[in-house]
Amino acid sequence: MISLDPVEVLVIGAGMAGGAISCTLAEAGVEVVCLEQGDWVPGSKRPHADRFYELERAFNWSTSPNVRHWNEDYPIGTDKVQPLMLNAVGGSTAVYTAAWPRFRPTDFLKDDEHAMSPNWPYTYEDLAPYFAENDRSMGTSGLAGDPAMPPQEEYPNPPLPIGLRGERFAESCESLGWHWWPFPMAVNSRDYRGRPACNYCGNCQSGCPRDSLAGSQNTYWPRALAAGAQLRTGSRVERVITDESGATIGAIYVDSSTGERYRQLAQKTVVSCNGIGTPRLLLNSANEQHPQGLANGSDQVGRNLMFHGLAMVEAWTHDILDPHKGVICAAAYTAEFAETDVERGFVNGFTLLCSGMNGPGFQMNGSHSGNVAPWGEGHHEWFDDHFSKGFSILVQTEDLPHPDNRITLDPDLLDSDGMPAPHVRYELHPNDEALLEYACDRAVDISKAAGATDIKVNRFKNENGDYMPPAWHLMGTARMGSDPKNSVTDGEHQAWDSPNLYICDGSSMPTGGAVNPTSTLGAMALKCAAGILTHLGR
Amino acid sequence: MSTKLGATADYLNLVTERLIPPTGHWPSATTMGVGADLLPRLRASEADGIEAALLELGSLKDFRSKSGPQQDELLRVLESSEPAKFALLRQILYFAYYAQPPVIALLRQRGYDIQEAPQPSGYHMAPFNDDQVPTSGRGAWIPTSAVLKRVVSEI
């Protein structure tokens, strides 16, 4: 093992949080080293100019490492969920869809609201300045003035086109008397800071070859490197290490190109490996001082896993709606039911997002709802009735953090360096089952109001009724809190149990909201970085 | 292409023709060479999956000797007895068929605005305009200061 000179701050993981933190610290003059087990993903590697782009997206460019099997992937022990994860510079933001809504004020106060989830250790208002800063860094496109959200400054870019599918969704919401608004996205509606405007190719789920879609790899990382941050790719951290007192002092990592192991010491260490990777690393870092896993005196590491309860409802009409065009995630959304109303029989709320349907191969293969075109005699008629005539509604509900929904170390699976892989256990709470069902019914209401001739609901359940969702949003598994007994870090992301350790990514979130979390995650990371600067005396 | 791969390509063409019949103006999978186009694109895991499905269907010689309806019956048996294998075969062959330039050309002739691949041209979309801004004023949020405890005992 080679010991390296100590640095001020070691960041593990170059994703949304790792990028934002590294950039903020480096620009303030802090010596930062970031270890990332993956590599840069150049635009030229992506499949968007390949006519087999749909086949590529389904397999080689699957968002799930269990399908993709790239060298830098590690297996995830689950036979139920399909996690969205990428080990790369940018992390999962190198393949996500850049949906950019903010959590709402009540998302931070669920213990005050109904006590079935905890409060965050700070409020929406505390995070608001960081939301704005993150929007400027990412180049968010959107329309300020959403009556379903607190007032905010104008977005850096105007809203993206909502297209024919967005117009139909909007008309349907209007006819139902429901809220709708153009959806904020971290995708350029015009050229922004050297990155071109989106050309609406619709293939966002294989990332973006043009860098029109923002991730930390094309926003924070160029700035971080220009400010002197060191980014070591192909560097897989095996464990975070402590001294005899249990204080974190750095990490041991493997260089994937040589197999050599290194000990990198640091004054402060930040773990930002996502809601599955972070608890996995902490658990793998168990030692004499932290026998249950690093920072796990509370037995909370890995627990309280949240994904959002998800479903897809798809609707087909008589009209061409071009769902293969435009950003895939959302042209528009409704937050009509985003707040808790106990009259409905459950707590928490949901949002419904008007999403795209990808190309002809995907549409014939059932798009996101599993409404597969029949084979044989009826295929072409089905094509004529369905192709390009539909839209998807992503049903996104807030799930409750439950201690038995958790990440543990898989008893059998190992990664390519012999480290135990993570194991996922997740089931919907009865509250969340009721919420999801209600939300699906509202999505069907929109579909009917749109004049749908065919509607398909995908509840992501198998024939046994087991919930088997796409796990796009990985949250809760090393959560912040005010009480060391039921949280892993304080409100500044400092681990209760191990001085000089910070944990900041989706695992930090005590609640998941009913919207895509990355905007909030990025804001949270900027706030964390501000705290680290204070602690360093900068 | 090796004899074995060539045989597999032929088999895939025949299966695709049953899944997506070459009727009307729809191009024939065999004429387009879907199988030969697809095979080099498959990773080992997907190729093995295709192979496993074709093994269940029987030999190429037997399949080719059957009439169209008889071939359909074999596929229906595969679909019900080995649903996962059939689903993978169907999924991949649907992708492969709709990746063919003659198919996309047909779709464009029929008025669909679709490219063979999303890039480099992308698609034109009219920008968002002020006329599209919602005017109903619907939507609400609860400020931090107004969060009230809800009674959940009956849930």
Side-chain angles (χ1 to χ4, degrees):
Chain A
M1 176 146 7
I2 299 171
S3 287
L4 301 170
D5 291 339
V7 296
E8 278 192 278
V9 177
L10 175 65
V11 176
I12 303 172
M16 181 72 247
I21 291 168
S22 297
C23 176
T24 303
L25 297 182
E27 288 184 339
V30 175
E31 181 192 25
V32 180
V33 165
C34 178
L35 302 175
E36 167 53 52
Q37 61 188 306
D39 206 341
W40 295 91
V41 181
S44 57
K45 184 180 171 180
R46 297 184 188 271
H48 297 59
D50 181 348
R51 59 188 173 81
F52 275 92
Y53 66 100
E54 297 194 283
L55 179 78
E56 288 289 308
R57 189 203 144 204
F59 299 106
N60 193 35
W61 278 88
S62 171
T63 50
S64 169
N66 284 351
V67 176
R68 193 173 56 228
H69 298 304
W70 288 3
N71 290 338
E72 53 268 53
D73 287 325
Y74 54 80
I76 298 175
T78 174
D79 57 1
K80 283 195 183 170
V81 307
Q82 308 130 56
L84 186 162
M85 282 174 58
L86 184 67
N87 295 323
V89 179
S92 301
T93 68
V95 286
Y96 78 151
T97 58
W100 216 249
R102 300 178 180 184
F103 283 11
R104 54 190 41 252
T106 46
D107 292 335
F108 297 79
L109 292 166
K110 290 297 179 179
D111 186 55
D112 287 4
E113 184 178 72
H114 56 59
M116 293 178 74
S117 313
N119 282 351
W120 287 50
Y122 49 76
T123 65
Y124 174 92
E125 288 74 16
D126 294 323
L127 205 55
Y130 302 101
F131 276 127
E133 183 188 337
N134 198 32
D135 282 344
R136 288 190 293 273
S137 291
M138 301 293 279
T140 310
S141 298
L143 184 68
D146 184 350
M149 288 294 290
Q152 63 166 82
E153 57 293 312
E154 291 294 336
Y155 286 102
N157 291 311
L160 292 156
I162 64 173
L164 296 173
R165 63 173 152 107
E167 287 178 7
R168 184 60 59 94
F169 179 90
E171 287 160 7
S172 302
C173 289
E174 297 272 359
S175 74
L176 291 166
W178 293 356
H179 162 267
W180 80 272
W181 201 256
F183 201 60
M185 298 288 296
V187 177
N188 288 353
S189 57
R190 57 188 177 191
D191 295 353
Y192 184 79
R193 294 190 180 181
R195 294 184 296 109
C198 180
N199 68 356
Y200 311 120
C201 80
N203 203 39
C204 315
Q205 285 171 298
S206 298
C208 182
R210 296 162 50 85
D211 289 325
S212 303
L213 186 153
S216 77
Q217 75 280 2
N218 56 20
T219 56
Y220 286 111
W221 273 111
R223 287 167 50 194
L225 296 174
Q230 242 195 82
L231 172 60
R232 296 178 198 153
T233 57
S235 300
R236 174 175 278 171
V237 173
E238 291 188 319
R239 61 186 190 279
V240 179
I241 53 177
T242 70
D243 63 16
E244 299 80 13
S245 73
T248 294
I249 57 173
I252 306 285
Y253 72 95
V254 181
D255 182 324
S256 63
S257 60
T258 64
E260 192 71 68
R261 279 175 171 73
Y262 294 88
R263 177 187 292 110
Q264 177 65 68
L265 301 182
Q267 286 181 41
K268 309 281 185 197
T269 299
V270 184
V271 174
S272 298
C273 304
N274 78 48
I276 289 179
T278 283
R280 175 205 182 208
L281 179 58
L282 296 175
L283 293 171
N284 270 326
S285 301
N287 60 17
E288 195 179 319
Q289 291 76 28
H290 299 271
Q292 292 190 119
L294 181 57
N296 197 25
S298 61
D299 190 29
Q300 294 297 293
V301 169
R303 294 189 187 273
N304 311 302
L305 173 63
M306 297 170 287
F307 287 144
H308 291 137
L310 298 176
M312 293 296 294
V313 175
E314 296 194 310
W316 290 267
T317 69
H318 288 298
D319 306 306
I320 296 292
L321 297 179
D322 285 338
H324 60 288
K325 297 183 185 177
V327 290
I328 186 79
C329 179
Y333 88 119
T334 175
E336 180 70 21
F337 305 94
E339 299 284 6
T340 290
D341 179 352
V342 296
E343 297 287 315
R344 298 179 195 141
F346 48 80
V347 300
N348 293 332
F350 60 94
T351 52
L352 303 174
L353 279 53
C354 175
S355 304
M357 278 183 162
N358 306 100
F362 250 94
Q363 290 189 40
M364 294 308 105
N365 268 318
S367 194
H368 309 291
S369 63
N371 197 10
V372 180
W375 60 272
E377 194 181 319
H379 182 88
H380 297 305
E381 184 181 354
W382 200 97
F383 182 98
D384 289 341
D385 288 340
H386 290 78
F387 177 63
S388 211
K389 296 187 168 85
F391 61 94
S392 302
I393 301 174
L394 169 59
V395 178
Q396 193 160 228
T397 72
E398 176 167 1
D399 49 345
L400 292 169
H402 193 283
D404 292 340
N405 286 341
R406 63 188 298 199
I407 305 298
T408 54
L409 294 180
D410 196 280
D412 301 311
L413 285 177
L414 304 173
D415 71 11
S416 56
D417 291 297
M419 276 174 61
H423 181 84
V424 177
R425 184 196 180 281
Y426 181 89
E427 286 183 7
L428 282 175
H429 187 282
N431 179 84
D432 303 338
E433 292 264 17
L435 165 52
L436 193 52
E437 200 56 34
Y438 183 93
C440 286
D441 288 344
R442 304 291 74 77
V444 169
D445 289 341
I446 291 176
S447 304
K448 290 178 178 172
T453 57
D454 191 6
I455 301 171
K456 177 82 170 175
V457 180
N458 183 359
R459 293 173 175 82
F460 296 118
K461 292 193 175 179
N462 66 9
E463 58 274 9
N464 299 325
D466 299 322
Y467 181 57
M468 302 178 63
W472 296 325
H473 310 141
L474 313 174
M475 303 174 291
T477 49
R479 67 186 184 186
M480 293 188 282
S482 305
D483 183 351
K485 287 201 255 341
N486 65 9
S487 59
V488 179
T489 77
D490 64 15
E492 294 186 306
H493 299 268
Q494 296 186 95
W496 295 111
D497 295 352
S498 184
N500 303 320
L501 175 66
Y502 296 79
I503 300 165
C504 186
D505 56 35
S507 67
S508 305
M509 297 177 159
T511 61
V515 290
N516 322 67
T518 313
S519 166
T520 304
L521 197 164
M524 201 177 62
L526 292 175
K527 187 175 187 298
C528 172
I532 295 173
L533 287 174
T534 301
H535 303 151
L536 287 173
R538 301 295 178 95
Chain B
M1 184 172 286
S2 73
T3 305
K4 182 168 187 286
L5 280 177
T8 305
D10 289 343
Y11 208 160
L12 293 176
N13 290 339
L14 292 178
V15 172
T16 306
E17 298 221 353
R18 301 317 305 170
L19 299 183
I20 307 177
T23 54
H25 295 292
W26 292 96
S28 147
T30 300
T31 304
M32 292 190 293
V34 167
D37 194 28
L38 169 65
L39 283 172
R41 306 303 309 255
L42 295 176
R43 304 184 307 174
S45 48
E46 284 77 62
D48 289 347
I50 292 260
E51 194 78 40
L54 294 179
L55 267 174
E56 290 290 336
L57 271 182
S59 72
L60 168 59
K61 184 178 172 194
D62 282 347
F63 193 84
R64 207 199 297 265
S65 71
K66 303 265 189 285
S67 66
Q70 289 172 329
Q71 291 174 344
D72 288 348
E73 186 52 32
L74 286 175
L75 286 166
R76 277 191 282 272
V77 168
L78 178 67
E79 188 175 24
S80 65
S81 64
E82 296 281 354
K85 286 179 181 160
F86 179 85
L88 180 69
L89 183 67
R90 186 258 309 139
Q91 182 191 28
I92 290 176
L93 292 180
Y94 275 16
F95 283 143
Y97 184 85
Y98 288 101
Q100 300 305 307
V103 175
I104 300 301
L106 173 67
L107 297 184
R108 292 179 67 79
Q109 277 168 29
R110 297 177 71 195
Y112 294 106
D113 184 12
I114 185 78
Q115 314 280 0
E116 287 180 19
Q119 295 289 347
S121 56
Y123 295 102
H124 171 75
M125 293 183 77
F128 186 86
N129 66 70
D130 289 343
D131 291 342
Q132 294 176 305
V133 176
T135 54
S136 68
R138 291 279 312 178
W141 56 282
I142 299 172
T144 295
S145 58
V147 173
L148 296 173
K149 194 68 127 187
R150 312 298 176 92
V151 175
V152 299
S153 57
E154 290 177 17
I155 291 177

